[in-house]
Amino acid sequence: MAKISTSFIFLLAASNLNGMVNGELEQVMKQGELPLDFHHTFQDGHCRVAMKSRGSLVVSKGKENMELMWQTGLAPGHASGDEYVLQLKEKGNISIKRTISPDGQSEGVTVYDTHTDGSVGEYFLGINEACVLEIYEGSLEEPGDLIWKNIKTEMKPGDSLGTSEIFFYDSCDMHFMFMNPNGNLEIFEGRDFTDVGDNDPVWESNTKRESGDYQFSIDENAVLSLRDVVTDEQYWKKDLQNSGRSSTSIRDLSLVSFGCEIMDNGVGPYVWFKNEGNLFMREGDK
């Protein structure tokens, strides 16, 4: 046996995850627009949502000292004098658009989108006690299906992680995956960015590009990939079937962190996770 103090991405062969963040919801907005200067506290002052002047939706948390928890990030192509508006649309997606640009050429350009288009209907954006943003069908009084959240706790084959979204999983220790707006897939210690400070990622795909609209996904054939949503270019790929595990054994994408004991009999760049029968990528694996 060997202990490796590093960080990994691994695929869980069996899981009992619920994939839900429990907590009482408060409404951030109904369908319509969120103005640029919007800022409001929720959950008894523990959570704050703000729309920043550079086109970023920001969530902070903390009772005494508010700390950055999550943000959509600086709008791609931002220039001085640009103005933005956030919209929750009739098909359930959130988009941030540039409404005013000094050069007049980039007005009306979408700089962020959740890509959650569904059927035309009623939707609302809520925030739960953990300060996680959630889009639901229906109303706060009669909520329907959950269709989007900025921090996910479960990913299965066929699921994806959009730009600026977080995937959190608590294994030996807390780590989270972040789809950076610069096209880089990153893993940090902690639950969200309140735990990161100035620390660098413990793992990254090393695929930094221009700020844009990117997506991480795991498909039914156990292939991890990064894709440019606008051009549909696949610019990073990891085929986990090369590890010797069948794709049918992969049910959930999960993270394992520092101090986890592993078995020293891996296949290729992969190793087995003791007692779980899992496979994962080692730090620096590309």
Side-chain angles (χ1 to χ4, degrees):
M1 299 292 181
K3 284 192 175 181
I4 297 181
S5 292
T6 185
S7 290
F8 311 91
I9 300 176
F10 76 88
L11 288 172
L12 189 62
S15 174
N16 189 28
L17 299 177
N18 293 323
M20 294 292 292
V21 178
N22 295 321
E24 184 178 348
L25 275 179
E26 291 187 11
Q27 182 172 282
V28 177
M29 67 179 298
K30 297 180 180 180
Q31 285 170 234
E33 296 185 351
L34 203 64
L36 190 62
D37 59 352
F38 176 88
H39 56 90
H40 191 76
T41 57
F42 301 89
Q43 301 294 352
D44 194 29
H46 182 66
C47 313
R48 182 172 64 201
V49 179
M51 185 63 192
K52 298 294 186 178
S53 61
R54 293 189 173 189
S56 181
L57 181 65
V58 176
V59 178
S60 305
K61 72 176 180 179
K63 196 65 174 179
E64 296 182 1
N65 298 311
M66 284 284 183
E67 295 182 282
L68 174 68
M69 174 183 176
W70 176 86
Q71 62 180 336
T72 57
L74 176 68
H78 174 78
S80 178
D82 286 354
E83 293 187 12
Y84 304 88
V85 64
L86 181 147
Q87 298 174 315
L88 175 56
K89 298 186 175 182
E90 63 179 3
K91 290 189 175 182
N93 67 304
I94 285 178
S95 71
I96 299 175
K97 286 191 175 183
R98 184 178 288 113
T99 56
I100 296 177
S101 179
D103 61 15
Q105 297 179 4
S106 53
E107 293 180 5
V109 173
T110 298
V111 297
Y112 177 80
D113 201 303
T114 57
H115 300 292
T116 48
D117 289 356
S119 302
V120 173
E122 184 180 8
Y123 299 88
F124 73 96
L125 175 66
I127 188 166
N128 67 23
E129 291 176 323
C131 302
V132 174
L133 295 177
E134 300 177 332
I135 301 175
Y136 282 87
E137 293 181 340
S139 64
L140 182 64
E141 295 73 25
E142 297 184 7
D145 291 339
L146 171 67
I147 64 170
W148 177 85
K149 60 199 316 183
N150 64 336
I151 299 180
K152 298 181 177 182
T153 54
E154 183 179 63
M155 284 191 71
K156 296 179 178 295
D159 289 346
S160 61
L161 196 68
T163 295
S164 300
E165 292 177 3
I166 284 174
F167 167 59
F168 165 76
Y169 178 73
D170 189 1
S171 180
C172 300
D173 201 354
M174 293 189 297
H175 280 69
F176 69 91
M177 178 183 287
F178 175 63
M179 184 66 252
N180 196 308
N182 67 12
N184 202 36
L185 187 66
E186 301 167 347
I187 295 176
F188 294 89
E189 283 190 83
R191 178 180 292 273
D192 53 54
F193 281 105
T194 59
D195 299 321
V196 172
D198 296 327
N199 295 330
D200 292 328
V202 296
W203 182 93
E204 60 182 300
S205 58
N206 294 309
T207 53
K208 293 179 181 178
R209 315 178 117 209
E210 296 288 332
S211 293
D213 193 355
Y214 303 104
Q215 185 183 76
F216 165 75
S217 64
I218 171 174
D219 70 15
E220 291 79 1
N221 296 313
V223 175
L224 308 179
S225 64
L226 293 173
R227 181 175 69 92
D228 186 315
V229 175
V230 175
T231 65
D232 202 33
E233 173 197 0
Q234 184 187 78
Y235 60 91
W236 181 88
K237 176 182 176 182
K238 172 64 64 174
D239 186 351
L240 294 178
Q241 292 193 80
N242 292 335
S243 66
R245 294 295 298 275
S246 66
S247 60
T248 55
S249 69
I250 296 170
R251 300 179 185 174
D252 294 275
L253 176 67
S254 306
L255 309 179
V256 65
S257 54
F258 295 98
C260 295
E261 190 172 82
I262 64 169
M263 297 178 68
D264 222 359
N265 59 346
V267 180
Y270 301 97
V271 289
W272 297 105
F273 181 47
K274 183 185 177 184
N275 298 328
E276 296 286 347
N278 302 320
L279 61 95
F280 47 94
M281 294 189 290
R282 286 185 267 196
E283 183 181 12
D285 183 26
K286 301 179 177 63

